[in-house]
Amino acid sequence: MTVAERLRGWWARWVAFWDEREHPASLGLVRMFLGLCWAYDFFNIWRLGLVIPLFGVAEVGGFSDALMREHTPLFYRLFAGTVASATGLHLVMTLAALCIAMGFFTRTSCFVLLCSWAMFVDVLPYADRGIDTLSRLALFVLMFSRAGQYLGADAFIRTGSVWGDGSTILSSPRRLLVLQLVVMYTGAGWSKVGMTWWPMGHFAALYFALQDPAVAAWDFSYLRHQPFFFFTQVGTAVTILYQCTYPAVLLLMWWRRHPEKGGRIADFTRKYRVEMVWITLGFVFHLALAATMILGIFPWAMLAMYPAWFHPDELRAFFRDVGRRLGLRSAARA
């Protein structure tokens, strides 16, 4: 076989991989959960009275110096620097997030939220969090998917049922979200260069984080005593270990896709679903963050992406089993 023939074969398999199709259940759940997280976050901004401080310019009581810069942000080139403009931008983002959660004109809603969110970042760059960047990346993927074809108004309009008609969609958006999660966790692990994350710093990073009154949800002063401090050390070490080794998940998933590959080691990982170790640790990690620290929507938005880990056939089988046990016909039908 010539080099050109091998390249053509590899390219054909690569195209076929990204062109595979599946039920929209996994992506629909990601869309709904993320939309709810975003809508809650924007609603909470209003509840705390932060719409004008965050979205408005300094001239109307906001934190932004948008009208004082040499290059005025696009939003305030299009609209006057008024309270109404700031309120309108926030309202558009909130309504778009709600529409995404409901699966209503999903692609258009994703585009509107992506553009308005980018405008907001331009207005007040310092308000942009890591989870916001991750959310916009997910928004970009959802915008080019058919995530509204399951548990959404789009599915109801098209088929008369919120569950859709079972039509398949491309697998590539869900796989891109999986890749995004792997890159995020790996980058988070490799960027932890502070001494307290490592043995020379006694794995004390989690302890110090829980002593910070700005983010700690409770009084954790008791952690300075044993055996509680030891538990924080274990948590720190496990966090570093599972995040830095997260690329292994891609290898394990590839072995599951190709049963003929990998030999005995791959057979063992396939039999016991070893990749679930990393996924479960991440799930527990985010639940622990949500229970112990005040980090906004970060842990919940991360968990909202977890349905992407599972093939839709796995999720639907799980829902059908739960539905049969509970006697819920709609869940069993999903």
Side-chain angles (χ1 to χ4, degrees):
M1 182 180 294
T2 65
V3 173
E5 289 173 335
R6 288 184 178 180
L7 290 175
R8 281 195 293 269
W10 290 339
W11 181 252
R13 288 192 294 272
W14 177 256
V15 172
F17 174 77
W18 291 106
D19 199 40
E20 289 179 5
R21 305 183 71 85
E22 64 186 28
H23 192 278
S26 299
L27 205 60
L29 289 173
V30 171
R31 182 218 78 233
M32 183 177 66
F33 292 150
L34 277 177
L36 289 173
C37 285
W38 298 331
Y40 169 79
D41 200 36
F42 300 144
F43 173 79
N44 203 39
I45 289 174
W46 171 80
R47 185 182 66 85
L48 295 173
L50 294 174
V51 174
I52 302 306
L54 293 180
F55 290 78
V57 294
E59 288 75 2
V60 296
F63 296 148
S64 175
D65 62 348
L67 299 183
M68 307 176 195
R69 300 178 201 163
E70 181 180 355
H71 300 288
T72 305
L74 176 61
F75 180 76
Y76 283 113
R77 293 204 302 268
L78 298 174
F79 302 96
T82 62
V83 169
S85 296
T87 304
L89 179 58
H90 174 264
L91 181 61
V92 167
M93 293 176 68
T94 304
L95 292 178
L98 286 172
C99 287
I100 292 170
M102 295 186 295
F104 183 67
F105 288 97
T106 305
R107 288 179 169 179
T108 303
S109 299
C110 287
F111 177 75
V112 170
L113 181 54
L114 186 62
C115 292
S116 56
W117 208 331
M119 288 184 177
F120 168 59
V121 174
D122 198 21
V123 170
L124 192 63
Y126 299 112
D128 197 36
R129 305 161 298 182
I131 191 59
D132 296 336
T133 303
L134 195 71
S135 293
R136 290 193 297 276
L137 291 172
L139 260 176
F140 190 80
V141 173
L142 292 174
M143 184 172 65
F144 288 99
S145 75
R146 294 177 58 198
Q149 297 305 314
Y150 181 80
L151 273 180
D154 290 345
F156 183 80
I157 293 170
R158 180 172 173 268
T159 68
S161 169
V162 295
W163 306 104
D165 59 2
S167 298
T168 58
I169 65 173
L170 285 173
S171 303
S172 49
R174 180 179 66 85
R175 290 170 175 170
L176 285 172
L177 292 178
V178 167
L179 181 60
Q180 181 175 327
L181 285 170
V182 172
V183 171
M184 190 283 301
Y185 283 123
T186 306
W190 292 357
S191 65
K192 288 180 170 61
V193 296
M195 183 178 294
T196 55
W197 285 102
W198 302 95
M200 65 284 286
H202 305 288
F203 292 118
L206 181 57
Y207 166 78
F208 284 117
L210 292 174
Q211 302 308 306
D212 186 347
V215 295
W218 315 98
D219 178 11
F220 289 105
S221 57
Y222 64 88
L223 294 178
R224 69 189 62 170
H225 305 295
Q226 295 290 13
F228 305 111
F229 179 68
F230 173 74
F231 295 148
T232 67
Q233 290 178 296
V234 172
T236 301
V238 170
T239 298
I240 279 290
L241 180 62
Y242 97 86
Q243 287 187 342
C244 288
T245 59
Y246 226 96
V249 174
L250 294 180
L251 174 62
L252 296 173
M253 295 178 77
W254 185 75
W255 276 345
R256 285 195 65 214
R257 180 180 172 85
H258 297 280
E260 75 283 3
K261 304 286 187 179
R264 293 182 179 179
I265 294 177
D267 290 340
F268 176 84
T269 64
R270 282 189 289 265
K271 180 179 179 180
Y272 294 103
R273 296 292 301 270
V274 176
E275 73 274 10
M276 291 302 299
V277 172
W278 280 265
I279 297 171
T280 302
L281 282 172
F283 185 84
V284 173
F285 171 73
H286 291 299
L287 285 181
L289 286 181
T292 60
M293 305 182 77
I294 305 172
L295 298 175
I297 64 167
F298 169 70
W300 305 113
M302 292 301 304
L303 289 174
M305 297 179 66
Y306 267 51
W309 285 118
F310 303 98
H311 192 277
D313 292 345
E314 293 180 288
L315 289 179
R316 295 174 70 210
F318 172 77
F319 292 148
R320 283 195 294 267
D321 182 59
V322 172
R324 282 194 296 267
R325 292 174 183 273
L326 300 179
L328 302 176
R329 294 183 179 179
S330 58
R333 187 171 65 250

